[in-house]
Amino acid sequence: MGIGPGKWAKLPNQHSGNGGFLVLFLASIADCRRIFRLVFRQEVMRTSTKLILSAILVATAGCKLPGGGSPTPQTLVDCRKLSRQGVSAMERGRQDEAEALLAKAVAACPVDSEARRNYAEALWRRGAKAEAVEQMNQAATYAGEDASFWVRLAEMNLSLGNLSEADRCARQALDLEPKMPEAWAARASVRRAAGMKQDALADYMRAMRYSPGNRQILWQTSDLYREMNQPERALQALQNFVETYPPGEEPQRALYMMGQAYIALGRYDDAVDRLAAAATRETPSADVFFALGQAQLLSGRPQEAFVAAQNALSVAPQHQASRELLQRADLALRSPSGNMRR
């Protein structure tokens, strides 16, 4: 007779001496695999029945009653129901309700890693970041071989400036999943924050090897190239990034950064093309209009630059760079040729 999710199974108890069985509740197929790997490994078979039971409880995300009672599958069901409700409330913007539900989920089953992860995210959204990190740390411990928990923990610690802890978490993720692009990207971000730009770049390259079209990694790589004053490589990464979007749906920020890279390379007409497209996406900021006007003036189009500077000032009247651009465009128009590049 087969066993599967939601079934009770019996495994021989190698240490009972009387042919007894260990009884456990299998929560999922993944849990089944973890349990059989754990139970039939030789070194585990030499441990006591108590240790085997403890490992099973962690692997199945089962729960014990206060004081160390038996596994209670119903509490796991209740925990996951509360967790789903909490996530739903969080997605609807009902922060207080979400946090209360997720706190109950964790209380119902303290060793359920998903419940703790969701609770950590709710705390993080509220700004209780130290508490969120504590909850995520426990979630990662209970998650076993799931490297994504350690990646998120690395990101949280990095956000708080805890570089050594962020690095430890990223390395832990890589130990579990050596080919996980998000883990490589997490370590790259830590190294970048530590000023180790070449090492960070190597890690981003490794991440892209495992996930060539990953938008987040492409964006981070292009931004690092920009920071390293390598506009040509930044532009290549940005081109790869925008190619992941359908034509006409490229994000304004990406088009803006491409325009800036073209300006740095002296390719002013290409810069105008990209920045003009950026000005049609969403609501253009003063910075977008200013960059467009700057590229237009540099490409010998002072009249267009004058209009772009006016548009920038209509959005942000105190935008100093656009005021200066307006004056330069006006001077260019008043010159005998009416065509100056500055």
Side-chain angles (χ1 to χ4, degrees), residues 6-320:
K7 301 292 182 66
W8 289 95
K10 294 184 177 181
L11 297 177
N13 183 345
Q14 300 293 327
H15 300 277
S16 66
N18 57 8
F21 290 86
L22 298 177
V23 181
L24 56 144
F25 182 80
L26 300 178
S28 68
I29 291 295
D31 295 337
C32 298
R33 296 194 186 101
R34 286 198 295 268
I35 290 168
F36 284 114
R37 283 203 305 268
L38 186 62
V39 172
F40 291 106
R41 282 169 56 185
Q42 184 175 0
E43 60 269 24
V44 174
M45 295 295 280
R46 291 198 296 265
T47 64
S48 65
T49 300
K50 180 179 179 180
L51 290 177
I52 296 175
L53 281 169
S54 298
I56 290 172
L57 290 174
V58 172
T60 59
C63 302
K64 289 186 177 182
L65 294 172
S70 302
T72 54
Q74 186 57 47
T75 60
L76 177 59
V77 173
D78 294 341
C79 166
R80 293 187 175 173
K81 180 180 179 181
L82 288 164
S83 187
R84 287 193 298 272
Q85 292 173 343
V87 170
S88 177
M90 190 159 47
E91 290 172 348
R92 296 195 306 272
R94 298 163 67 171
Q95 177 65 32
D96 292 342
E97 179 185 349
E99 197 170 321
L101 287 165
L102 291 166
K104 289 180 181 178
V106 170
C109 190
V111 297
D112 186 82
S113 57
E114 283 296 334
R116 282 197 184 271
R117 168 153 59 183
N118 294 332
Y119 185 39
E121 295 294 355
L123 291 168
W124 188 264
R125 286 194 179 193
R126 179 165 62 83
K129 297 191 173 181
E131 296 174 54
V133 168
E134 181 181 350
Q135 289 294 329
M136 187 62 76
N137 192 54
Q138 293 186 58
T141 301
Y142 292 131
E145 298 179 1
D146 191 337
S148 67
F149 285 79
W150 292 102
V151 169
R152 182 61 180 133
L153 190 55
E155 293 169 348
M156 286 180 166
N157 276 292
L158 177 59
S159 177
L160 295 176
N162 302 329
L163 297 187
S164 60
E165 186 63 14
D167 182 67
R168 183 189 72 83
C169 295
R171 289 177 183 276
Q172 180 67 24
L174 287 170
D175 286 343
L176 292 170
E177 290 287 345
K179 295 183 178 181
M180 185 179 190
E182 294 82 5
W184 285 103
R187 195 175 77 164
S189 297
V190 175
R191 289 181 161 186
R192 180 181 177 185
M196 303 165 61
K197 294 181 182 179
Q198 289 295 341
D199 292 329
L201 186 59
D203 281 352
Y204 281 134
M205 293 297 103
R206 190 74 172 267
M208 283 197 290
R209 183 188 308 172
Y210 298 125
S211 184
N214 188 302
R215 289 175 179 173
Q216 183 177 3
I217 296 170
L218 285 168
W219 182 264
Q220 290 170 333
T221 304
S222 71
D223 199 45
L224 179 56
Y225 277 131
R226 179 195 58 78
E227 191 176 291
M228 297 171 70
N229 196 28
Q230 297 184 32
E232 191 166 359
R233 291 185 176 181
L235 181 61
Q236 182 60 57
L238 285 166
Q239 287 173 334
N240 292 337
F241 175 84
V242 298
E243 285 174 4
T244 66
Y245 290 87
E249 296 183 16
E250 303 89 345
Q252 182 188 81
R253 180 66 177 169
L255 295 171
Y256 170 77
M257 294 305 296
M258 289 182 74
Q260 296 285 43
Y262 279 126
I263 290 175
L265 292 168
R267 296 169 58 178
Y268 304 127
D269 289 334
D270 289 329
V272 170
D273 180 64
R274 294 291 82 192
L275 291 164
T280 67
R281 304 285 194 277
E282 307 165 20
T283 301
S285 66
D287 287 338
V288 170
F289 280 128
F290 165 75
L292 173 58
Q294 182 184 38
Q296 288 167 333
L297 188 59
L298 289 166
S299 66
R301 305 181 222 180
Q303 181 62 56
E304 295 175 28
F306 189 88
V307 173
Q310 287 181 318
N311 289 335
L313 291 170
S314 70
V315 174
Q318 302 305 316
H319 198 265
Q320 186 59 35

